[in-house]
Every structure is written in C-alpha cells, then in structure tokens.
C-alpha cells in the first residue's frame, strides 16, 4: 500500500548521488523545551561502521531512536534507506535490526521463544524462521541455551541474544546502542568479534558507545557528540591526527605537589592538560619530552608514554572525560 | 490488520506458558461465587417475602446473570492493567514490538483483540459453570455472551488507555480499589440498583457495568432492560472505542516521545 511512495522516493534518492543509507541535515529532537539533539548533520554510507561517541546525555540514544524510526523527528531532514521515517516507518523498520540501550527481552520466555515471537513480527515463519533461529543461535553461541529461560542468563548472553534477535530479519542496517556497556572484558571481545563478522558480510553498523577503545576497534568513521551537538567527525585516526598529537606523556606527581609544577612544564609540549590526578603532555616525541622533564629536575612518581587515543580527542574538544 | 494479528499471536504464545493456571481460576471462581453467594445466600433470600423484588426469579439466577457481566469486567480490567504496564515498563515487550514493522495502532488493536479473547474465555467458562450448576439455561446464557464480551471490552480498552499513562503499579491497584470494586458491588450485580439511595442511582447509570448487567440479565433470565438494548450496547461500545482511541494516543506519547 506504500508502494507508490517508495517508487517516488527511490529515483530521487539515486539522483542525489548518495550510496548513503542514512542522511541527516539539521536534525533536531526536542522534548518539550529541552533540546536533546541540536541541528546535527551526518551521512552514513552503505557497509560502513559508523559510531556516535559521547558522554551521558549527549543525545546519542535520541539520535538513534530517530534513525530507528521509533521517535518522531522534531525538525530537520532525515532519510533512512531512502525513505521518510514519518510516513514509511514500518517499511524502514522492516530492514533494520535494533539493539536498544536497555534490553527488551521477555525474561519469562525461553531464548527460542524470544526469537520466534520477534521473527513473527517481521512476518517470517515456518521452517525459514526455525532455520534462521538455528543459525543465529550458533552465531551468538547460545545454541545450548535455546530452551532456557532468559532471566538467569548473564548480561553478556542477554546482549548476544538481543543481537541475534536484531538479525532475525537479515537487516541491511544494524543499530546498536551501547552494545557492550556493563559487560566484562571477555564478553565485550566476543561481541566485538561478532560485530566485526557482520561488517564483513556487508551489514552497515551504527553504534553508540562511551568507550573509545570500542569506537577505535569497530568504527570506520564516527562523530563525537556533546551537549546535543556534533563537535567533530572523521575516522578514528583522522580525528587523532587532527585534534591530538602523536604521543602523550602522562606524569603523576606525589599527592599535593602537582599544582606546584604545572607552570614549569608549559613549554615542554604543544599542549598540556591538567587532570585532577595527573598532567598530560601532548607532544610528537614522548621520549624527548620525558628527557626535558628530567632536565628541569622534576621527579614525577610515574611517567607513561603512550599514543594518543580518542579519549584525548574528546578531552581536547569538550574539556571533559568520556566516562565521568 | 495483519500486524495486529501478529500481536495477537505473540500474546497467545506467551499465554501458552500460563494458560493452565488461568483456566483453573476461570472455572473455580464462578463455582465459588455461585455456591456461596447464590445457593447459600440465595436460599435465605428466596424464602423471604421481599424476594418479590426479583420478579419471581431465583436469587442465584439473578446474580449469575449479573456476575457474567462482572466477570467480563474483571477480566477486561486485569488484562488492561498489569500486562500492559509490563509491556511498557517491566518486560518492555511493547518497545521490542515497536522496533519491528508493528506500529502503535497495530500494537493497541492487537492487544485489545487479545484481551477480547481472554474476556471471551472467562465468560465462556462462567457460562459453562452456571449451566452445569443449573443456575442459568444453556441457550439463554449463550445468547448473553456477546453482551458480556462487549462489557469486558468497555473496561479493557479504557483501562489500557489509563495504564498507558500510569507511572507504576500503585496507580493500577487504585483503579481496582476505587472503580472496579465499587462497580462490582453497586452496579446491579447483587441487587437491583433501585435499592440504592436515590442520589447514588444516577452514578450507577453512568457505570458501564450497569449497562452490561442489564443486557446480560435480559438475555440470560429474560428481564426487561431499562433502556432500549441498543442504547445499552451503544453506551458500552462508546467506552470501548473511546478507550481504543485514547490507548493509541497515550501509548504513542509514552513509547515514542
Ligand atoms: N523522553 C524524554 N523526555 C525528556 N527528556 C529526555 C527524554 N529522552 C531523553 N531525554 C533527555 O535528552 C538528553 C539526551 O538523552 P539521550 O538518551 O539521547 O543521551 P545519550 O547520549 O544516549 O546518553 P547516555 O550515554 O546516558 O545513554 C538527556 O538529557 C535526557 O535526559
Ligand atoms: Mg543513550
């Protein structure tokens, strides 16, 4: 019944030249007077792993929910898979997989029942659905738990089940809102591995996270959000090149002595960041900077030389850490 | 429509896990009520000269015809409250469904259809029990089922709309304490509302349950309805459809802000 609309949309989309699956221009979300997403622009290309990085309340989930066509756009332009979320929500959602920030599994039902019911919502049924459930359980390593209730499963297992559920309709785009928050390192690595495989199969991934290592691992390109706005955009490497130096020297001083030394370091690095517990020197050559610190007769309790990360980019852009 | 039916199917799959317990309740509670209130209390009432107020009908049949409507009300209200808040808040199964092609309108229509199934099952269980106990005639009680089901929906839908804006379960228990229980007691199920103090009678007229009781009683034991049956049906249908409409509006606001 929506065919005419779709037919109208496709050529226009092709003409605009984009292989883009999602385009947002001036996208805004307000809750009453509160602005949760403030005129953001971004495009997500086919097959890409695209990240939204930012602290609590930055507007990541609000943006994701608009893309997932479950939250109306307040203002601006949003196209998902060449379609209009306001009028073609069901058609868009038919081709998306969604892993929400909070689990929405029915914990009283079994693993299999959760997948089966969800699959039925997409109109999948019979042997096709059964086979797909088998494959997905295998993919997320939950085959043995097929008939257990969801409630006693570990956080990592529930997350994997949610991912399996999101894949039941073989989506073109998988939207993951903090897929690994609250998981232990091993569970996170298992999840990263599965997401990486999906990407290799050509599934477009849209991910939000607080974790810079996750963003660096998974994302081809990302935007940094802060206070409802996008403050930077690029590949992890490009962002680091643009907003940080190659290396960082972390100096820790004896408790209480840090404030006395800050000014002595001023000219030793391109940029200096004083955190409550340490001083960061941003420099292209960490070892040279360490030498200079010693020449000044300073004796920090510990010195670490490391490469710049997205965390440094974030600190530079917002003056805040990613996880408060 | 197809999407609403998928929502019905999902409910049925969940129900498969709990149907035994709910079937036992559906049969047991009319047995207990009819035995205690009807046969026990009824034997005293029937031998009392005042029983003429019941138009020559046995008391147990009088209340059975009202309880049919009240049972439907009870099931409708229960289905419109805890399972709905669970879908919104606890299990979040409504959020899960809305991430798929299912729309809020499908979700509401599908859930109300499912509630109609549940109301029907409990009304049928009541009808079977009352027929087996010889309290109501089988054919007549069958004829009263549609009115009972409509009564159930005149509660299921508005209660769903209310639950959609309810913060937590204390708001739900309040509905039962301040609306469902008083209606159960004072809307004509156990005694004709003419027995109420004059100022309370108009209140009883406004309650959907009274209209349901009137209809069920007319089909099941041949009493005349106070209004034209069409008016009673229309009033119940109004509650059901207003509830359906507000449930969609409220859930859309709550789930897709
Ligand atoms: N339904 C709502 N009503 C009112 N305000 C809301 C609503 N949903 C989100 N907000 C507000 O919008 C802002 C952005 O929220 P959002 O959930 O998008 O942030 P986020 O980046 O996902 O944060 P987190 O990392 O904590 O998940 C927050 O200040 C939040 O309180
Ligand atoms: Mg969030």
């Amino acid at each position: 019944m929506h065919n005419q609309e779709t037919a109208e949309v496709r050529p226009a989309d092709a003409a605009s030249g984009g292989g883009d699956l999602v385009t947002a221009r001036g996208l805004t979300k307000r809750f009453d007077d509160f602005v949760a997403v403030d005129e953001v622009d971004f495009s997500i290309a086919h097959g890409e792993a695209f990240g939204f990085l930012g602290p609590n309340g930055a507007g990541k989930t609000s943006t994701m929910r608009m893309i997932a066509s479950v939250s109306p756009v307040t203002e601006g332009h949003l196209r998902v898979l060449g379609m209009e979320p306001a009028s073609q929500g069901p058609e868009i959602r038919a081709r998306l997989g969604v892993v929400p920030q909070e689990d929405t599994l029915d914990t009283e039902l079994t693993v299999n029942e959760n997948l089966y019911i969800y699959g039925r919502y997409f109109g999948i049924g019979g042997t096709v659905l059964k086979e797909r459930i088998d494959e997905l359980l295998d993919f997320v390593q939950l085959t043995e738990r097929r008939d257990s209730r969801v409630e006693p499963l570990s956080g990592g297992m529930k997350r994997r089940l949610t991912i399996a559920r999101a894949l039941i309709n073989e989506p073109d785009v998988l939207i993951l809102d903090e897929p690994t928050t609250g998981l232990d390192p091993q569970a996170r690595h298992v999840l990263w591995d599965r997401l990486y495989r999906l990407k290799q199969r050509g599934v477009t991934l849209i991910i939000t996270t607080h974790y810079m290592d996750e963003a660096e691992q998974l994302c081809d390109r990302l935007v940094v959000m802060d206070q409802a706005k996008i403050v930077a955009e690029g590949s992890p490497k490009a962002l680091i090149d643009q907003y940080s130096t190659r290396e960082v020297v972390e100096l820790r001083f004896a408790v209480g002595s840090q404030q006395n030394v800050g000014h002595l370091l001023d000219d030793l690095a391109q940029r200096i960041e004083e955190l409550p517990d340490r001083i960061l020197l941003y420099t292209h050559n960490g070892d040279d900077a360490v030498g200079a610190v010693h020449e000044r007769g300073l004796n920090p309790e510990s010195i670490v030389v490391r490469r710049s990360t997205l965390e440094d980019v974030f600190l530079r852009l917002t003056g805040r850490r990613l996880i408060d | 429509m197809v999407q609403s039916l998928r929502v019905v199917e999902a409910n049925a799959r969940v129900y498969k896990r709990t149907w035994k317990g709910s079937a036992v309740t559906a049969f047991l509670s009319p047995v207990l009520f009819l035995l205690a209130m009807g046969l026990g209390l009824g034997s005293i009432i029937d031998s009392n000269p005042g029983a003429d107020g019941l138009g020559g009908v046995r008391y147990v049949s009088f209340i059975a015809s009202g309880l049919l409507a009240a049972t439907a009300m009870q099931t409708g209200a229960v289905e419109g409250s805890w399972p709905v808040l669970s879908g919104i808040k606890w299990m979040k199964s409504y959020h899960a469904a809305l991430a798929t092609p299912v729309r809020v309108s499908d979700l509401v229509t599908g859930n109300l259809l499912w509630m109609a199934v549940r109301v029907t099952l409990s009304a049928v269980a009541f009808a079977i029990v009352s027929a087996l106990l010889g309290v109501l005639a089988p054919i007549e009680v069958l004829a009263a089922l549609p009115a009972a089901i409509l009564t159930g929906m005149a509660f299921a839908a508005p209660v769903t709309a209310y639950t959609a804006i309810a913060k937590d379960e204390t708001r739900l228990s309040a509905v039962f304490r301040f609306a469902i229980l008083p209606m159960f007691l004072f809307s004509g199920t156990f005694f004709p509302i003419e027995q109420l103090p004059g100022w309370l009678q108009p209140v009883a007229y406004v309650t959907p349950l009274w209209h349901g009781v009137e209809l069920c009683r007319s089909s099941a034991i041949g009493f005349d309805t106070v209004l034209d049956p069409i008016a009673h049906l229309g009033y119940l249908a109004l509650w059901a459809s207003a509830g359906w409409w507000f449930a969609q509006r409220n859930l859309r606001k709550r789930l897709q802000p």
Side-chain angles (χ1 to χ4, degrees):
Chain A
M1 71 186 156
H2 294 274
N3 282 348
Q4 314 115 302
E5 267 183 285
T6 317
E8 264 169 45
V9 165
R10 284 272 159 70
D13 194 53
S16 73
D20 286 341
L21 287 191
V22 183
T23 27
R25 296 284 170 268
L27 182 63
T28 298
K29 180 74 198 182
R30 276 193 298 271
F31 297 105
D32 299 321
D33 289 341
F34 182 82
V35 184
V37 180
D38 193 5
E39 298 197 14
V40 300
D41 302 328
F42 57 86
S43 308
I44 302 170
H46 190 277
E48 187 172 40
F50 189 88
F52 287 87
L53 193 63
N56 289 126
K60 305 182 296 295
T61 298
S62 303
T63 307
M64 298 286 255
R65 284 175 52 82
M66 287 191 282
I67 299 173
S69 305
V70 293
S71 167
V73 171
T74 311
E75 246 169 57
H77 164 99
L78 178 65
R79 272 291 159 91
V80 183
L81 295 158
M83 291 181 275
E84 189 74 54
S87 57
Q88 293 164 289
E91 291 84 347
I92 294 174
R93 293 195 298 273
R95 291 170 59 193
L96 299 182
V98 178
V99 175
Q101 184 167 352
E102 287 176 57
D103 280 330
T104 59
L105 298 165
D106 193 325
T107 55
E108 278 166 14
L109 298 180
T110 65
V111 166
N112 179 55
E113 287 166 334
N114 266 280
L115 294 172
Y116 197 90
I117 287 175
Y118 203 73
R120 293 295 299 137
Y121 285 140
F122 287 94
I124 311 163
T127 44
V128 177
L129 182 52
K130 293 210 173 77
E131 280 170 17
R132 212 170 276 177
I133 289 174
D134 287 341
E135 281 166 30
L136 288 171
L137 286 177
D138 184 48
F139 180 65
V140 298
Q141 296 174 300
L142 285 174
T143 305
E144 281 93 78
R145 296 305 203 117
R146 183 191 187 99
D147 294 312
S148 17
R149 281 193 332 132
V150 168
E151 207 208 320
L153 299 186
S154 72
M157 287 178 178
K158 284 183 185 151
R159 240 23 205 157
R160 264 149 47 206
L161 174 57
T162 302
I163 291 181
R165 195 181 66 170
L167 294 170
I168 201 92
N169 58 330
E170 301 189 321
D172 300 327
V173 183
L174 186 60
I175 296 180
L176 304 120
D177 198 348
E178 300 194 21
T180 67
T181 297
L183 301 189
D184 64 36
Q186 201 197 336
R188 294 177 72 199
H189 282 284
V190 173
L191 267 180
W192 287 353
D193 172 66
R194 299 299 123 155
L195 296 180
Y196 193 72
R197 290 185 199 196
L198 287 171
K199 184 168 161 342
Q200 290 201 309
R201 289 189 205 164
V203 178
T204 304
L205 302 179
I206 309 178
I207 304 165
T208 77
T209 178
H210 293 252
Y211 301 116
M212 49 163 195
D213 55 342
E214 185 159 294
E216 284 191 31
Q217 285 271 339
L218 291 175
C219 299
D220 301 316
R221 217 151 53 84
L222 53 91
V223 292
V224 178
M225 283 191 86
D226 188 34
Q227 297 182 355
K229 291 201 184 289
I230 289 179
V231 291
E233 186 205 324
S235 68
K237 186 172 176 312
L239 285 169
I240 292 168
D241 288 348
Q242 186 178 354
Y243 294 101
S244 192
T245 53
R246 203 168 67 90
E247 294 188 327
V248 186
V249 181
E250 298 200 4
L251 306 174
R252 273 176 210 271
F253 289 89
V255 177
S257 62
Q258 181 175 308
Q259 58 273 44
N260 305 327
V261 297
H263 63 281
L264 296 173
L265 301 165
D266 277 350
D267 55 336
L268 291 187
Q270 282 169 289
R271 195 163 64 82
I272 294 185
E273 201 74 62
E274 272 198 56
L275 301 180
D277 58 338
R278 63 208 139 114
I279 295 178
L280 305 183
L281 307 180
Y282 289 94
T283 170
H284 284 293
N285 190 325
D287 290 338
D288 286 358
V290 172
V293 168
H294 285 306
E295 273 167 31
R296 302 245 160 127
L298 297 173
N299 276 311
E301 285 194 327
S302 81
I303 301 180
V304 178
V305 180
R306 59 168 176 83
R307 297 201 158 245
S308 273
T309 66
L310 284 173
E311 179 94 41
D312 299 300
V313 172
F314 193 77
L315 193 61
R316 164 81 186 276
L317 288 170
T318 69
R320 288 193 291 148
R321 322 265 321 272
L322 264 171
I323 305 172
D324 306 319
Chain B
M1 195 59 201
V2 176
Q3 291 296 359
S4 318
L5 292 179
R6 289 186 181 138
V7 175
V8 176
E9 184 190 331
N11 275 294
R13 285 184 189 282
V14 176
Y15 188 61
K16 247 176 44 186
R17 291 188 83 81
T18 55
W19 73 271
K20 280 181 197 147
S22 104
V24 170
T25 317
F27 282 100
L28 198 60
S29 88
V31 171
L32 295 179
F33 256 106
L34 291 176
L35 286 181
M37 305 292 292
L39 300 175
L41 190 62
S43 62
I44 300 174
I45 292 173
D46 291 337
S47 61
N48 188 302
D52 294 348
L54 298 179
V57 177
R58 281 199 300 159
Y59 182 65
V60 66
S61 305
F62 177 83
I63 64 160
S65 56
L67 274 174
L68 177 62
T71 299
M73 164 184 82
Q74 180 75 18
T75 307
V78 168
E79 291 294 316
S81 46
W82 281 278
V84 173
L85 199 56
S86 169
I88 295 170
K89 211 176 137 162
W90 300 318
M91 293 295 175
K92 299 198 162 72
S93 53
Y94 287 9
H95 296 266
L98 292 176
T100 74
V102 171
R103 295 163 299 185
V104 172
S105 55
D106 304 318
L107 188 67
V108 169
T109 306
N111 277 310
L112 288 180
L113 284 172
W114 172 252
M115 292 177 203
V117 172
R118 293 283 295 111
V119 167
T120 305
L121 292 176
S122 70
V124 166
F126 187 95
I128 291 174
V129 170
S130 56
L132 287 179
L133 291 179
V135 169
L136 294 173
I139 303 294
E140 278 79 0
V141 75
L142 207 63
L145 280 179
I149 295 163
L150 183 60
T151 308
M153 296 318 290
F155 285 91
V159 172
T160 300
Y162 170 84
T163 305
I165 54 172
K167 252 196 349 243
D168 51 37
E169 67 256 63
T170 59
R171 305 293 167 100
L172 303 186
S173 2
V175 171
F176 286 83
R177 207 166 300 140
F178 299 115
I180 302 298
L181 183 61
M183 275 191 235
F184 183 63
L185 295 174
F186 297 108
S187 290
T189 311
F190 297 104
F191 54 86
I193 61 168
E194 290 75 38
Q195 305 290 320
L196 288 171
W199 61 273
L200 253 183
Q201 288 184 18
V203 179
Y205 290 139
V206 176
T207 64
L209 181 58
W210 176 72
H211 298 264
V213 169
E214 280 294 304
L215 286 170
C216 287
R217 202 156 269 157
S218 118
S219 307
I221 56 173
F223 274 31
D224 284 339
T225 49
V226 170
L227 306 175
D228 190 310
I230 299 294
H232 291 300
L233 286 170
Y235 189 71
L236 292 173
L238 190 69
W239 274 89
S241 27
W244 180 62
W245 190 85
F246 277 103
Q248 294 188 43
R249 191 194 76 140
N250 295 352
L251 268 182
R252 196 168 285 122
K253 274 195 189 161
R254 173 97 174 243
L255 299 174
Q256 307 194 323

